Amino acid sequence: MHVMIFGCGYSGTAIAKAFAGDGVRVSGTTRSQDKMDVLRQNGIDAFLFDGETMEARLVQALADVTHLVQSIAPGKADPLLRLLGEEGASLLPRLEWIGYLSTVGVYGDHKGAWIDEETPCVPVSGRSKERLEAEAGWLAMGRQRGVPAAVLRLSGIYGPGRNAFCNLEKGTARRLIKKDQVFNRIRVEDIGAATRFLSEHGLSGIYNVTDNRPGPPQDVIVEAARLMGVEPPPEQAFETAELTPMARTFYGENKRVSNAKLKAAGFEFSFPDYPMSLAQLWQDGRWRG
């Protein structure tokens, strides 16, 4: 088995760790030379990929790739789909499974209602519209190649090195209050495990990869502060808070995302909700990464 992860960042590295084992070659791409060393330290065969052209070494590696995971965010179009284009079959002759990492942002705003994979997508941001187009492109490639292609719609990602404890320690945690606002989230190790699960079972189609417990974002900060034994930051009204345009768009979408389809397929979350997940991160001391 040869797993190739395009855009091997935070989630990609967790996916690499989930697949690692005897008889498995794991490769990953990054844009920067510096990050290549980090990937190698994690046992990942590293390649440079700028989204524009593929170096000869990367093209050569694709020849025996069996599992392709695409984690690079689309721009005006998916950079990898564009490059594979007509040549996909010759570049990836041994392909058995495709995984595409997307976002629950494609659903848009549903006023806090529960939604699932059958819910119509009404994306708000340009980013989410681009994601939807990329999803369709990868599902179409799977059909053309006759291999399963799974779209993993991810909610807010956190885990070691990226969590409310880190934000509290750095002094960047904010307790923004917006009436009735909820978000889903997902522990990064569960992204890795879900990707491996979907590939092992040859599953295709769209899956929400998210925890069981959507909740107000300020509650996560309060719970992390409680575990740390520190005072949570003061409450701030969302309406008057200074936010980047990107942060503001996140708050423009309010929904409760169901993971029932993934669980019905047989997947078991190791971190099904944020209180137990935060407690585990704090207790094992790896929260800083």
Side-chain angles (χ1 to χ4, degrees):
M1 182 194 286
H2 182 186
V3 182
M4 172 69 81
I5 302 157
F6 276 84
C8 198
Y10 189 63
S11 298
T13 301
I15 290 168
K17 288 176 180 172
F19 275 99
D22 291 344
V24 181
R25 178 185 175 192
V26 181
S27 301
T29 76
T30 178
R31 280 179 168 274
S32 76
Q33 194 72 48
D34 300 347
K35 289 184 183 156
M36 287 184 75
D37 294 335
V38 179
L39 293 187
R40 290 189 185 115
Q41 284 159 18
N42 281 294
I44 300 163
D45 197 358
F47 295 85
L48 274 179
F49 178 59
D50 61 3
E52 299 292 327
T53 53
M54 286 196 205
E55 57 180 4
R57 198 173 141 258
L58 178 55
V59 172
Q60 200 177 349
L62 291 179
D64 68 349
V65 165
T66 53
H67 295 63
L68 178 71
V69 177
Q70 159 58 326
S71 175
I72 301 170
K76 292 288 171 249
D78 186 288
L80 191 53
L81 272 176
R82 185 173 50 75
L83 279 171
L84 291 176
E86 300 301 309
E87 294 180 73
S90 58
L91 286 173
L92 291 156
R94 294 188 55 202
L95 191 62
E96 294 173 15
W97 184 81
I98 297 166
Y100 177 66
L101 302 191
S102 185
T103 165
V104 296
V106 298
Y107 291 112
D109 183 29
H110 291 271
K111 307 280 189 284
W114 278 99
I115 62 166
D116 62 19
E117 292 83 353
E118 301 299 314
T119 303
C121 292
V122 284
V124 175
S125 69
R127 292 188 316 278
S128 293
K129 288 172 187 158
E130 289 162 359
R131 286 275 186 200
L132 262 186
E133 286 167 16
E135 286 184 6
W138 285 106
L139 291 169
M141 179 184 264
R143 287 192 297 273
Q144 286 157 11
R145 294 293 308 273
V147 300
V151 169
L152 291 78
R153 288 181 176 163
L154 310 177
S155 54
I157 302 164
Y158 73 104
R162 191 183 289 193
N163 55 66
F165 302 124
C166 296
N167 298 340
L168 285 161
E169 186 178 53
K170 287 188 298 222
T172 58
R174 299 171 75 182
R175 193 155 48 125
L176 293 179
I177 309 295
K178 186 182 179 199
K179 191 175 173 343
D180 300 328
Q181 178 76 43
V182 293
F183 290 119
N184 282 76
R185 44 201 67 76
I186 184 68
R187 183 75 179 253
V188 72
E189 294 96 329
D190 274 336
I191 296 173
T195 307
R196 179 165 179 168
F197 173 86
L198 291 168
S199 74
E200 282 178 343
H201 292 81
L203 293 171
S204 58
I206 295 165
Y207 290 87
N208 293 329
V209 182
T210 181
D211 65 8
N212 294 343
R213 186 165 169 175
Q218 64 270 23
D219 290 8
V220 181
I221 301 292
V222 171
E223 179 62 11
R226 185 187 71 78
L227 288 162
M228 287 182 98
V230 301
E231 277 296 308
E235 292 187 353
Q236 277 183 287
F238 167 79
E239 289 70 23
T240 55
E242 281 185 30
L243 289 174
T244 64
M246 193 170 190
R248 208 161 272 284
T249 63
F250 284 126
Y251 276 82
E253 299 174 11
N254 191 11
K255 52 190 169 280
R256 289 172 167 83
V257 184
S258 167
N259 60 16
K261 181 179 177 183
L262 184 57
K263 287 199 290 198
F267 182 70
E268 290 181 21
F269 287 83
S270 295
F271 305 99
D273 60 62
Y274 74 82
M276 70 78 62
S277 178
L278 288 176
Q280 184 273 339
L281 266 179
W282 184 248
Q283 283 155 10
D284 85 353
R286 285 193 315 120
W287 57 272
R288 285 192 185 94

